[in-house]
Amino acid sequence: MSTQPDSGFTSSHDSLIRDQFSRQAELFARSPELHGDAQVMLLVDAARAQPSDESLDVACGPGTVVAAFAARVRRAVGLDATGAMLDQARALAAERNLVNVEWQLGDVYRLPFADGSFDIVSCRFAFHHLEEPAKAFAEMVRVCRSNGRVAMSWLRPIRPRQRRSMQWNATVTHQPWNT
C-alpha cells in the first residue's frame, strides 16, 4: 500500500486498496472478529511490550493494535495508507483517552521514520494486500532498533479445503538486526 501524494505516482493496485479500505473503514473497525481484545492481544503479548518501548504498527487500519500497545508502551505510532482508516483510529484513541499515540498517513515501502526509531514494529493482516511484501518487511526491519522486535500476525486456513476455518498466528523476531 503506497501513498506518496507528492510523488504523483501510485499504482492501480494501491489506488484500489485505498478505495476499498476507505469504503469499508467504519464497518471494518467495528468487526469484533478482527478487532476484539483477545485477537489483538496475541500480537501485543508476543512482542513483549515494555513501558519504555516505542512501537510502530504498519498498516494500522482502525488503530486497535496501536491502542493495545499504547496501554503498555511509552509511545505508540500507527501508519496507514488510508485516511478513512486513520479517522477511525483517531476516534478510537479519543474514545479511550489515549495520549501517547500518533497517527501517520504513509507508505509501507518508504516508512517516514529514521533507521532504528522503534523498539517494536508490528503489522497485522496486511501483507496479503501488498504487491512487494519483502520490501515492506525490509522497511520494518530498517526502522526497528538493533535489539528490537518485529511482530507480525496473519490468518491461515486450518484445513486447506475449509477456508472458513481460520487460525490466528503471531510471530515475533527477537534477533538483533544488522542493518
Side-chain angles (χ1 to χ4, degrees), residues 124-157:
R124 184 170 177 261
F125 304 153
F127 268 64
H128 62 280
H129 294 293
L130 303 178
E131 287 185 297
E132 298 180 72
K135 186 175 178 181
F137 184 75
E139 275 294 280
M140 292 173 66
V141 169
R142 180 186 66 76
V143 300
C144 189
R145 292 190 175 122
S146 63
N147 289 317
R149 284 96 57 209
V150 172
M152 300 177 68
S153 64
W154 64 93
L155 290 172
R156 71 173 172 86

Side-chain angles (χ1 to χ4, degrees), residues 65-115:
V65 171
V66 175
F69 273 115
R72 295 194 184 178
V73 301
R74 182 169 61 83
R75 174 178 166 238
V77 178
L79 176 133
D80 202 271
T82 309
M85 283 293 184
L86 292 175
D87 291 342
Q88 295 296 314
R90 287 181 188 96
L92 177 65
E95 175 185 308
R96 295 187 183 181
N97 297 313
L98 300 175
V99 296
N100 62 335
V101 297
E102 298 171 26
W103 309 105
Q104 185 100 20
L105 184 67
D107 182 348
V108 300
Y109 304 120
R110 287 181 277 178
L111 296 175
F113 307 103
D115 296 358

Side-chain angles (χ1 to χ4, degrees), residues 31-54:
S31 171
E33 295 84 15
L34 296 175
H35 302 289
D37 289 340
Q39 293 85 355
V40 172
M41 292 313 292
L42 287 172
L43 184 64
V44 175
D45 289 341
R48 300 182 322 196
Q50 301 297 313
S52 61
D53 286 342
E54 294 182 281

